Amino acid sequence: MLDTNLTGALLGIRGTAPSMRKAGGGVVVNVNSIGGLTAAPGLVAYSSSKWALRGLMRAAAKELARDNIRVNSVHPGIIGTPLAYAPDGSELVPVADFAIPRQATPDEIAGFILFAASDEARFATGAEILADGGFMLGPRRLTLRKVGL
């Protein structure tokens, strides 16, 4: 998990930064996850690697900014791919109570990545773009017990 989610990103940045410097600048966009912003049972290795990716992104953003290289991350929520479903076809993370009660499409997340890489985001570095359908807001239907005064 660490090799894929952290070491791969580090090697990618190290491998491309010299070319970006020669070109006068560039953009790195790391695809992170809501798992890098919160914890979930059973996902210790995944969440740890994504939290570490946040640190890498911020350190690289600071180190490379003077070379006109921006480094940002996109944090997708649940995306409608086979990975979002159990073998029986049920959603691994039910989205009915999200603020936007559906899974994202891969194209929607690609749009966030394209924005982060574009000149429209030229003043952003070290930024974390949340694309989660409101997952981090918590459930829409929150039942609170009334307390009388």
Side-chain angles (χ1 to χ4, degrees):
M1 194 70 59
L2 286 171
D3 285 346
T4 298
N5 292 339
L6 182 61
T7 305
L10 173 63
L11 294 175
I13 293 169
R14 278 188 180 167
T16 57
S19 296
M20 289 186 201
R21 282 187 184 105
K22 283 182 185 176
V27 183
V28 174
V29 180
N30 290 313
V31 178
N32 201 307
S33 167
I34 54 176
L37 300 170
T38 189
L43 296 176
V44 172
Y46 180 78
S47 288
S48 297
S49 69
K50 292 299 190 173
W51 278 84
L53 182 57
R54 291 177 73 196
L56 170 64
M57 180 273 299
R58 287 173 175 250
K62 211 168 216 185
E63 186 170 323
L64 297 172
R66 297 298 170 120
D67 295 317
N68 198 32
I69 299 170
R70 297 184 295 111
V71 185
N72 296 305
S73 63
V74 174
H75 293 259
I78 310 304
I79 305 170
T81 68
L83 292 175
Y85 296 94
D88 67 4
S90 63
E91 291 179 317
L92 290 173
V93 178
V95 297
D97 283 337
F98 286 10
I100 299 175
R102 63 176 179 80
Q103 298 173 348
T105 67
D107 286 345
E108 286 173 313
I109 301 306
F112 282 95
I113 296 165
L114 288 171
F115 168 73
S118 77
D119 283 344
E120 295 298 313
R122 66 186 166 270
F123 196 60
T125 194
E128 297 177 302
I129 301 170
L130 186 58
D132 72 341
F135 177 88
M136 295 298 292
L137 296 172
R140 281 184 61 226
R141 296 177 191 100
L142 184 60
T143 305
L144 298 175
R145 188 173 61 97
K146 274 192 161 184
V147 178
L149 294 176

